[in-house]
Amino acid sequence: MEDRRIGISLLAFSADQHAGIGTYTVGLTKALTERAPDRYTVFVPPRHESLWRQALPPAVNVVLCGPDPRHRTLRVAFEQTGLRRLALEHGLHTLFFPHLFAPLWKTPRAVVTVYDLLLLSSATDFPWYKRAYQRLAYRQVGARATHIVTISEFCHRDIVRRLAVPPARVTVAAPGLDAEFAGEPPPEGPGLDLPERYLLSVAGSYPHKRLHTVLDAFVRVCNEVPDLRLVVAGTYAGERDAVPALLAAAQQKGVASRVHVLPRVERAGMRRMFSGAAVLVSASEIEGFGIPIIEAMAVGCPVAASPAEAVVEVLGGCGWVAADFVVPAMVKSPGS
């Protein structure tokens, strides 16, 4: 059999920006390269050279190239031109993109990750120009990518339907658990300042995450449980004005002292945050997967969620799913 060499573009990865996508990129890249390190060439921006050299097997060929990942337009332009040239020079048969990328070429083969089609959904409130760009990108992926990788069966169905690609051209590679959530819990150390009893929300501050719905649901139940608090984490990813608006709403509703917004939590503290929660609350209107759901389940934290299709899929009959997306349904007891 021909020894087909594979390239992985890590040029879009930025550890301080990508939240769940970053976690998925690191985990998937490590899993692939550990199976056959001498087959892989990874393309890395100079900014993240040390990170990837420490994370990947020594036999993996690391090529430094491209602009800083924060310069998105320059990065996309380089991937369309300079990266293709480098891939051909290194004799690569396939380039894998663990992020959305719309190739303008057919050689080498491009395998592209589509996490979801969120920007095509009416459940989101992204700017028109971002929607327009994504529509063009999705159309190009459907036409030119050799294969598409996605993260859930819900996304598989959505991609096949909306992009009109054959089901066989789409593969599901679901996210897994980080090492912090496997095995025995580490000894407790300094770090998180958490209340004794709290509901937990782990979500970026995007409109479709519906943090205000989480707050409204908390307001409905907090008077019955005087010592209950609401802890909100993960909001560093998303809209800058969302957290101030959430805190202002909490002040207006008279619960500001009971709402705690955490700064970015280090991976070492994530397990403790989930295991200490009374319930993880997910109010999203749409999700591609829902990594916080599996992290909560892994440590025995109960989950209460809105009926987003991918979340219901990930729960697999566990947890509690509301009958509807409205606040009264989110706080209705399962037995009532």
Side-chain angles (χ1 to χ4, degrees):
M1 179 182 292
E2 181 185 355
D3 181 22
R4 294 180 172 181
R5 295 187 56 78
I6 300 168
I8 302 178
S9 173
L10 300 171
L11 300 177
F13 173 83
S14 184
D16 56 354
Q17 292 179 328
H18 280 69
I21 293 177
T23 301
Y24 184 80
T25 298
V26 173
L28 186 56
T29 302
K30 289 174 67 175
L32 288 172
T33 55
E34 285 170 359
R35 296 181 65 178
D38 57 344
R39 287 187 62 191
Y40 285 91
T41 295
V42 298
F43 298 94
V44 175
R47 179 186 176 202
H48 293 315
E49 177 184 6
S50 61
L51 182 154
W52 287 110
R53 289 198 185 276
Q54 292 173 23
L56 302 179
V60 175
N61 183 28
V62 177
V63 177
L64 302 181
C65 60
D68 188 295
R70 291 172 294 188
H71 301 149
R72 181 172 180 176
T73 302
L74 292 177
R75 186 261 302 170
V76 171
F78 180 81
E79 285 186 310
Q80 293 287 12
T81 56
L83 180 62
R84 178 177 183 266
R85 175 180 55 78
L86 285 172
L88 294 174
E89 288 176 359
H90 282 80
L92 302 182
H93 175 267
T94 300
L95 266 176
F96 173 52
F97 296 86
H99 55 271
L100 178 63
F101 174 71
L104 298 176
W105 29 264
K106 285 272 191 177
T107 305
R109 290 159 39 111
V111 177
V112 176
T113 305
V114 176
Y115 289 92
D116 52 53
L117 300 181
L118 202 61
L119 280 108
L120 301 184
S121 170
S122 60
T124 58
D125 190 26
F126 291 100
W128 68 268
Y129 55 85
K130 193 169 185 179
R131 287 175 177 269
Y133 170 78
Q134 294 286 45
R135 287 192 186 98
L136 289 173
Y138 290 140
R139 189 178 304 124
Q140 194 70 16
V141 168
R144 291 190 178 268
T146 303
H147 204 79
I148 296 171
V149 176
T150 192
I151 55 177
S152 67
E153 293 297 337
F154 161 72
C155 289
H156 185 287
R157 295 191 299 271
D158 209 30
I159 290 167
V160 168
R161 178 173 63 87
R162 290 175 182 254
L163 302 189
V165 299
R169 278 184 59 204
V170 186
T171 295
V172 175
L177 281 169
D178 282 349
E180 292 85 357
F181 292 89
E184 293 297 318
E188 282 196 21
L192 293 177
D193 181 19
L194 295 168
E196 185 173 343
R197 192 175 187 191
Y198 58 93
L199 301 181
L200 177 63
S201 168
V202 181
S205 52
Y206 299 104
H208 68 280
K209 300 290 187 178
R210 305 200 314 155
L211 292 179
H212 281 273
T213 299
V214 174
L215 176 64
D216 290 343
F218 173 71
V219 169
R220 288 195 172 220
V221 302
C222 67
N223 289 336
E224 301 173 16
V225 191
D227 64 338
L228 189 64
R229 301 290 187 268
L230 174 62
V231 171
V232 182
T235 54
Y236 59 87
E239 299 181 349
R240 293 183 179 180
D241 297 336
V243 171
L246 184 73
L247 294 175
Q251 182 72 42
Q252 185 179 24
K253 297 172 188 295
V255 296
S257 63
R258 299 173 66 175
V259 176
H260 306 258
V261 178
L262 299 182
R264 183 163 187 164
V265 179
E266 297 297 326
R267 297 305 304 176
M270 294 285 283
R271 181 166 181 157
R272 181 184 164 211
M273 180 182 71
F274 280 101
S275 61
V279 177
L280 173 73
V281 182
S282 171
S284 296
E285 189 163 353
I286 184 171
E287 286 286 351
F289 185 81
I291 290 177
I293 302 295
I294 61 171
E295 291 174 337
M297 295 169 70
V299 300
C301 174
V303 177
S306 58
E309 285 188 58
V311 171
V312 175
E313 175 189 327
V314 171
L315 281 170
C318 301
W320 178 75
V321 179
D324 204 339
F325 290 92
V326 295
V327 173
M330 290 293 296
V331 299
K332 185 177 180 182
S333 64
S336 62

